[in-house]
Amino acid sequence: MSRLLYVLIIALLITSCFGTGFFTYDTPDKLDRYLLEFKSAAKERGYNLNIPNHLKVKLVDKLEGRNTIRGECINDIPMIIRLEKDYWMQADSTQRKILLFHEFGHCLLK
């Protein structure tokens, strides 16, 4: 019995380390398509991006600073992109893309 439990725990740990996408989300929106498009655009311009496997995207109620701040990149481990929730929820797909590309630039192009 204990051997079976040990095997199940190991299997769970191994499979939990592999996500289906690039991001760890604190929001239900799937953002991988924006990252893939950013990576492709960067490659067209001669940048070969190393995408960290610890990138998180979080929706937050309010960002500190001026009223015009809608997103920010925190270069730490894990790397975090924080997006203002109210703006994100009302933004159309073009506005979302512009905001994420801007933050990807801060995080990934350094």
Side-chain angles (χ1 to χ4, degrees), residues 23-41:
F23 293 121
T24 301
Y25 299 103
D26 287 339
T27 173
D29 298 332
K30 295 298 181 194
L31 306 175
D32 288 338
R33 68 184 179 101
Y34 294 108
L35 182 59
L36 292 173
E37 192 173 339
F38 182 80
K39 187 175 180 179
S40 175

Side-chain angles (χ1 to χ4, degrees), residues 38-60:
F38 182 80
K39 187 175 180 179
S40 175
K43 188 173 186 175
E44 289 173 8
R45 291 159 179 79
Y47 293 95
N48 188 14
L49 296 181
N50 183 16
I51 309 294
N53 61 1
H54 55 267
L55 178 61
K56 290 186 174 194
V57 176
K58 293 183 176 188
L59 289 181
V60 297

Side-chain angles (χ1 to χ4, degrees), residues 6 9 11 38 52 67 70-71 103:
Y6 177 73
I9 290 172
F38 182 80
N67 291 345
R70 302 294 182 229
E103 297 309 326

Side-chain angles (χ1 to χ4, degrees), residues 61-108:
D61 289 331
K62 186 75 175 150
L63 294 170
E64 298 294 323
R66 298 175 300 164
N67 291 345
T68 58
I69 296 175
R70 302 294 182 229
E72 69 180 350
C73 172
I74 301 170
N75 279 312
D76 204 352
I77 296 176
M79 186 178 291
I80 299 171
I81 293 176
R82 295 176 35 170
L83 305 173
E84 188 179 81
K85 186 194 308 190
D86 288 343
Y87 177 79
W88 185 259
M89 299 308 278
Q90 62 84 31
D92 63 29
S93 63
T94 301
Q95 292 167 317
R96 288 178 176 191
K97 178 179 173 179
I98 290 168
L99 177 58
L100 277 174
F101 272 41
H102 179 88
E103 297 309 326
F104 289 153
H106 287 300
C107 286
L108 303 174

